[in-house]
Amino acid sequence: MVFPPITRHLTPHRVGVWSLAWVSAVTYAVLGLVRFGTFRATIFDLVIVDQAVRGYATLGPPYAPSVGVQKGYGLDFLQLADHFSPIYALLAPFYAIHDGPRTLIICQAALFAAAIPFLWSYARRRLGVVAAYLVSVAYAVSFPVAQAVNFDVHEVMFVPVLSAIMIERFDRGRRLPAYLAAFGLLLVKEDMGLMLIGFGAALALTRRRLDGAIVAAMGLGALALIRGVLIPWAGGSNDNHWRYTHLGDSLPAAVVKLVSDPLNTLHLVFGDAGKIDTLVLLCWLTLFLCLFSPLVLAAAPMVLERLVSENSLWWSTEYHYNAFVVAILFCAGVDGASRLLKRVEAKQTAVIAWAVAVAVAGLTQVPRFALDQLADPDFYRPHDRTAAAYQAMAVIPDGVVVEAPNHVGPMLTHRTTVLVWEPTPRDAPWVLADLGQWAWPWGSVDDARKSVEERRAMGYLVVFERDGFVVLHKPGG
C-alpha cells in the first residue's frame, strides 16, 4: 500500500492513518473471503477477472473464456474486448504468491483502503487533522465501498485510490504524480475518459486552465481511441454494453440527443424513484456539501452515464457502480466545506461539527448495507451442502473445461477453465449442475433439471450425484 509523504511534524499521525487503512483493508478482505468460502461469489464477475489476471500472470493474453463463450465469441476472447481494463496486469505478480481468486479479493480490499491516506492528506490540508480522520472514517464505512467489496471483484478497485491521488497531488502542486494517476484511470475502463473531462472542467474553474485543458483532452482522446480503435482491435464491439438505444446507436448520437432535448434529459435523470434515491444517498455522504465544490464535476459525467441508461442495475445502490465516484465526492465535500465555512465565525468548530456529522451519517448507514453482515453469525455459517459441493468438485479433473453454476465456478477457476452453466449447452466435456437451489441465469430449478436430462440425452454420463449436485461427463470430450 502506498502512502503520500507526510511532513516531519505530522509523523505521529502515520500510526493513525496506517491503522485506519489496515483495519479497513482487513475488514473488506474478511467480507470478500467469507462470501467466497460460503459460495456467495459468482462467475460473473470474479471468474472473469481471475481468468484475465491468470493470463497476464503466465505472460500470455488476458483471455476471459467465461464471458467470451457466454456472449458467443468463444474461448479465445480477450477481456480487453469486453471492458478495456489493462490495469489488471498490475495484479499478475501477486499470483506468484497465490494463484486464485482469493488473491484478487485481498488485492481489492487493499486498494480500496489505499485511498484513505490520500483522502486524509487532502482533508488535513483543507480542514485540519481532526476533520481529516473523521472524513476518512466516513469513506471507510461508506455504502459505495461496502457494496463494491461485497460483490466479487471489479476494475473499480483501482478508481478510489487513483482519483484520490489525482486530486490530492494536484492540490499539493505535484503535477507529475497527478498526471500519472490520471493516466492510470484511463487504463481502468473504457469510459474513464468521462471522469477526466469532468475533472478538467473542475481544474479550469479553479484557474488552472492549462492543466484543465490537458486533462480534459486526455479524457476525450482516450474515449475516442479506446472505443473507436482498441476495443474493436481486441475483437470486441461497443454494442456489448450499449444500454442507450433510446438515445441512439452511438455515443455521439446519444450526446446530441441529451444536449438537444434538455427536458427529456432531466426526465431521464430524475424520473425514477430509484435514481433519486441513489443521487440523494451519494450527496448525503458529505451532507450535500460536495455540491458546493467544482470537484463534483469530475463525478457528474460518470453518474449521468448511468442514470440515462436503460439498465436499472446501473442506477441502484446494490452493486459496485457508485464506488467509481466515492473518493471524488468526499474530496468535493471537503473542498465544499472549506469554501462554505470560510467566513463562518468559529470556523474550526463548524468544520469539526460537519466532519462529525459526516462520520455519524456514514456509520448510521452501515446497517442498511453490506458491512452489516459482519455482525451477523449466520453470515459465517457454511453452505448447507458444502460437503456435497466439495465432493462434486473433486470429481472434476484439473485442466479441463467445465460448465459450472454461477456460485460454484469461483471455487474451480484456479484449476479448470470455467464457463457458466446456462440453458444454452456449450459442449464442455464436464458439467457441474446444482439442482438444489435457484441460480442465475436459470428461470427455475425445474428448468435446470430439464437441462440435466437433455444433457444425458446428448450422451453425457452422470458420474456423481448428491444433495442436488450432479456431475456429468461426456466420454471422449
Side-chain angles (χ1 to χ4, degrees), residues 300-469:
M302 302 293 293
V303 175
L304 181 65
E305 176 192 29
R306 294 163 48 207
L307 296 182
V308 300
S309 77
E310 299 168 323
N311 187 353
S312 61
L313 295 180
W314 292 358
W315 317 336
S316 77
T317 58
E318 295 304 314
Y319 298 99
H320 58 289
Y321 304 109
N322 294 295
F324 282 98
V325 298
V326 62
I328 294 172
L329 292 177
F330 275 108
C331 288
V334 167
D335 184 50
S338 176
R339 293 168 181 271
L340 195 63
L341 302 176
K342 185 181 297 184
R343 296 183 175 87
V344 174
E345 291 186 21
K347 174 187 173 183
Q348 195 57 34
T349 301
V351 163
I352 293 176
W354 170 79
V356 168
V358 165
V360 170
L363 290 169
T364 58
Q365 287 186 353
V366 169
R368 176 176 172 180
F369 295 102
L371 293 179
D372 181 57
Q373 299 172 97
L374 295 170
D376 183 1
D378 289 339
F379 177 63
Y380 305 92
R381 187 165 291 123
H383 191 280
D384 291 340
R385 297 174 293 132
T386 295
Y390 276 103
Q391 288 178 357
M393 290 188 290
V395 173
I396 299 169
D398 292 351
V400 301
V401 178
V402 55
E403 297 175 52
N406 195 37
H407 56 287
V408 178
M411 292 288 194
L412 288 165
T413 186
H414 68 289
R415 63 181 185 88
T416 66
T417 298
V418 171
L419 310 178
V420 66
W421 175 55
E422 58 183 331
T424 302
R426 301 302 181 181
D427 200 33
W430 291 86
V431 176
L432 196 163
D434 185 0
L435 306 182
Q437 68 180 69
W438 175 86
W440 179 88
W442 294 95
S444 67
V445 173
D446 286 339
D447 291 339
R449 188 173 291 108
K450 291 176 184 176
S451 177
V452 169
E453 295 306 316
E454 290 171 359
R455 299 297 180 95
R456 295 182 66 179
M458 293 165 58
Y460 282 84
L461 302 178
V462 175
V463 296
F464 176 87
E465 186 170 7
R466 178 187 168 189
D467 292 348
F469 290 103

Side-chain angles (χ1 to χ4, degrees), residues 39 54 73 87-88 98 101 110 117 124 140 146 168 211 213 244 250 280 301 339 363 415 443 464 466 469:
F39 294 89
R54 180 170 288 104
Y73 289 100
I87 200 166
Y88 281 140
H98 180 269
R124 190 273 310 166
E168 192 274 338
D211 285 325
Y244 307 94
S250 67
V280 170
R339 293 168 181 271
L363 290 169
R415 63 181 185 88
F464 176 87
R466 178 187 168 189
F469 290 103

Side-chain angles (χ1 to χ4, degrees), residues 150-292:
N150 186 59
F151 181 46
D152 295 343
V153 297
H154 300 85
E155 66 282 330
V156 71
M157 69 177 85
F158 296 95
V159 176
V161 62
L162 287 174
S163 57
I165 292 172
M166 180 177 69
I167 293 171
E168 192 274 338
R169 294 287 86 182
F170 263 120
D171 184 68
R172 194 179 179 91
R174 304 292 178 85
R175 299 170 72 212
L176 178 58
Y179 274 111
L180 290 175
F183 178 75
L185 285 168
L186 298 177
L187 305 180
V188 173
K189 199 177 179 185
E190 63 276 4
D191 60 352
M192 295 304 297
L194 294 172
M195 181 181 290
L196 265 62
I197 292 172
F199 184 60
L203 288 173
L205 287 176
T206 55
R207 299 182 181 180
R208 288 172 285 186
R209 294 183 180 87
L210 178 59
D211 285 325
I214 293 172
V215 171
M218 286 173 59
L220 185 60
L223 285 176
L225 178 64
I226 294 171
R227 296 181 63 87
V229 179
L230 297 181
I231 288 180
W233 169 80
S237 169
N238 290 315
D239 294 336
N240 283 344
H241 299 285
W242 187 252
R243 300 294 184 269
Y244 307 94
T245 55
H246 59 300
L247 297 175
D249 58 1
S250 67
L251 180 58
V255 172
V256 170
K257 176 69 173 177
L258 290 171
V259 173
S260 63
D261 192 352
L263 290 179
N264 182 62
T265 301
L266 286 173
H267 177 73
L268 285 174
V269 175
F270 299 105
D272 183 277
K275 296 179 181 180
I276 294 174
D277 185 45
T278 296
L279 284 171
V280 170
L281 284 172
L282 286 174
C283 294
W284 184 247
L285 292 172
T286 61
L287 303 183
F288 294 91
L289 263 61
C290 60
L291 300 178
F292 293 86

